[in-house]
Amino acid sequence: MSRERLRLIIALRVSTAGQAVDGYGLPAQERDCRAWNRAVGQHRIVHLVSDGDEKGGKTGKSTIDERVGLMEAMEWIADDRADGILAPNLDRLARELTVQEAVLAYTWALGGRVFTADHGEHLEDDEDDPMRTAMRQMRGVFHQLDRGLIRKRLRDGRDTKGEQGGYAFGAPPFGKQAVDNELVDLDPEKEVEDLILQWHDEEGLGARAICRRLNEEGKPSKRGGKWHPTTVARIIDPAAREANRLRSAFDRAQKKEETRRTRASKILGSSVR
């Protein structure tokens, strides 16, 4: 008897640029998915989608509407161009249990099926088999717990390092580099930093004038691009750097809250209709 041959979409995700390069990146995830499909020997891979790349990732906390690749897979299923999705594991679909369950429910509601390379098919919930749902959700809980413990260890390590006077957070300032968790001079940048301070102290130039001269003379910024007056101001006045850091943190918090409120309004609006 012939086995059912499905049209599957491989769905991948990386959460950080570091993971894309050094950890369980997109190529490794795709290899695992294709190896599983060869092992079962029955399904046809019709498309591949991914969220995140080598430049940046998409967190597993992201809701379905924030996952461009996953939404594309859902559209293929809705248009009857695919029968389901294949991911390396549930953790690649979502890292939080609530998001995991939402992704599964949405796929099933569209008539799609869900497979992972480490498990096989994840069947829809069945009232006559509550253990099926419980075991799947338990895996999701432990995935979420594992990531939470890792984040906590990283935070604790940074806090301890900071309390001991070591360098623990963020990108090093211009003229410095982190070596063995300590800030040391980065000679090429230190020379430019000294030049900036010299122009400011001896010639009385402000941030804009210094910025203009740096760009005219082709002095490279930390990332190799053009200089900006704000960057120069941070070098001239370290207090400005701290003020900018606090302002950026506040702006990120405001944006996160705005996004949360917008999403809540959409959900409430759809439930009223």
Side-chain angles (χ1 to χ4, degrees):
M1 182 177 67
S2 62
R3 304 176 68 183
E4 185 178 13
R5 192 164 188 252
L6 303 174
R7 301 163 298 170
L8 297 182
I9 298 173
I10 292 179
L12 315 174
R13 179 183 65 82
V14 287
S15 57
T16 65
Q19 183 186 80
V21 176
D22 301 322
Y24 192 34
L26 299 178
Q29 293 177 37
E30 182 180 352
R31 283 196 299 271
D32 285 351
C33 288
R34 293 190 182 278
W36 175 86
N37 194 50
R38 285 195 300 272
V40 298
Q42 64 182 98
H43 304 307
R44 183 161 61 95
I45 304 300
V46 295
H47 193 41
L48 183 147
V49 298
S50 64
D51 288 299
D53 54 27
E54 69 278 0
K55 296 180 180 178
K58 179 61 69 175
T59 173
K61 296 181 180 180
S62 301
T63 53
I64 300 176
D65 59 310
E66 296 176 304
R67 301 269 296 279
V68 176
L70 193 57
M71 285 302 297
E72 183 181 346
M74 297 299 108
E75 290 173 4
W76 275 60
I77 294 173
D79 294 340
D80 195 29
R81 289 182 286 168
D83 300 306
I85 58 177
L86 166 61
N89 50 52
L90 285 178
D91 187 48
R92 294 301 92 197
L93 282 182
R95 193 158 283 157
E96 287 196 347
L97 177 62
T98 52
V99 180
Q100 168 192 297
E101 293 300 291
V103 171
L104 293 171
Y106 189 29
T107 307
W108 291 331
L110 292 173
R113 296 166 68 173
V114 180
F115 298 82
T116 58
D118 68 339
H119 174 81
E121 183 170 9
H122 295 270
L123 299 173
E124 289 189 61
D125 294 338
D126 184 347
E127 292 183 354
D128 293 330
D129 187 9
M131 186 61 71
R132 175 194 301 173
T133 302
M135 294 302 293
R136 183 189 70 243
Q137 291 181 347
M138 284 176 63
R139 285 194 294 271
V141 166
F142 284 111
H143 280 149
Q144 182 173 322
L145 174 62
D146 181 57
R147 299 307 302 176
L149 291 173
I150 291 174
R151 288 195 298 270
K152 183 179 185 302
R153 286 197 296 270
L154 290 173
R155 285 197 305 271
D156 290 346
R158 287 195 298 265
D159 290 343
T160 301
K161 186 66 178 178
E163 291 170 358
Q164 295 173 347
Y167 182 71
F169 302 96
F174 190 81
K176 300 288 185 181
Q177 63 180 335
V179 177
D180 296 330
N181 293 323
E182 299 292 343
L183 281 182
V184 298
D185 288 343
L186 182 57
D187 291 339
E189 291 185 1
K190 189 66 171 63
E191 293 174 4
V192 177
E193 181 184 33
D194 291 342
L195 192 59
I196 291 172
L197 296 176
Q198 178 184 329
W199 289 344
H200 177 263
D201 297 338
E202 297 181 9
E203 300 183 33
L205 297 182
R208 290 187 179 278
I210 294 174
C211 177
R212 185 165 50 251
R213 185 181 290 186
L214 288 168
N215 289 328
E216 289 173 351
E217 295 188 8
K219 302 293 185 183
S221 66
K222 194 167 191 70
R223 293 181 175 81
K226 294 287 188 179
W227 283 88
H228 190 277
T230 303
T231 308
V232 176
R234 293 176 197 160
I235 295 174
I236 295 173
D237 181 8
R241 178 181 178 87
E242 178 63 15
N244 184 76
R245 185 187 69 80
L246 294 174
R247 184 165 56 252
S248 296
F250 176 79
D251 290 343
R252 287 195 300 271
Q254 289 287 93
K255 185 176 181 180
K256 183 177 181 180
E257 177 64 14
E258 181 180 344
T259 300
R260 187 189 66 79
R261 290 180 179 275
T262 300
R263 186 172 298 119
S265 297
K266 289 181 179 178
I267 294 174
L268 289 174
S270 62
S271 63
V272 170
R273 289 194 296 271

